[in-house]
Amino acid sequence: MKRLYRSDRDRMICGVCGGLANYFNIDSTLVRLAWVLLIFCAGTGILAYIIAAIIIPTESNVQ
């Protein structure tokens, strides 16, 4: 069963993008670019990232 988690290995700030990339089996750079586009275009990317960093558990806490 696939689980969404924040990555401990592929992280820049909190590991949200690395965890999403691992969950969807895509490159983490693409996820990071999507977050940057959300931040600059819609302005909701920062809020979404903060909420995801709080809600999504870290990889070391996933059993």
Side-chain angles (χ1 to χ4, degrees):
M1 175 194 232
K2 285 176 85 170
R3 298 207 50 189
L4 179 61
Y5 58 85
R6 290 185 291 141
S7 178
D8 287 336
R9 297 171 304 228
D10 187 14
R11 66 186 305 161
M12 288 272 204
I13 299 173
C14 291
V16 174
C17 293
L20 283 170
N22 190 17
Y23 183 79
F24 290 113
N25 291 324
I26 58 175
D27 188 28
S28 61
T29 305
L30 296 174
V31 177
R32 288 184 181 107
L33 287 173
W35 280 107
V36 169
L37 288 175
L38 281 173
I39 289 170
F40 288 118
C41 293
T44 59
I46 294 173
L47 181 62
Y49 191 90
I50 292 170
I51 291 170
I54 293 170
I55 293 175
I56 300 173
T58 60
E59 184 175 13
S60 57
N61 291 340
V62 175
Q63 299 172 350

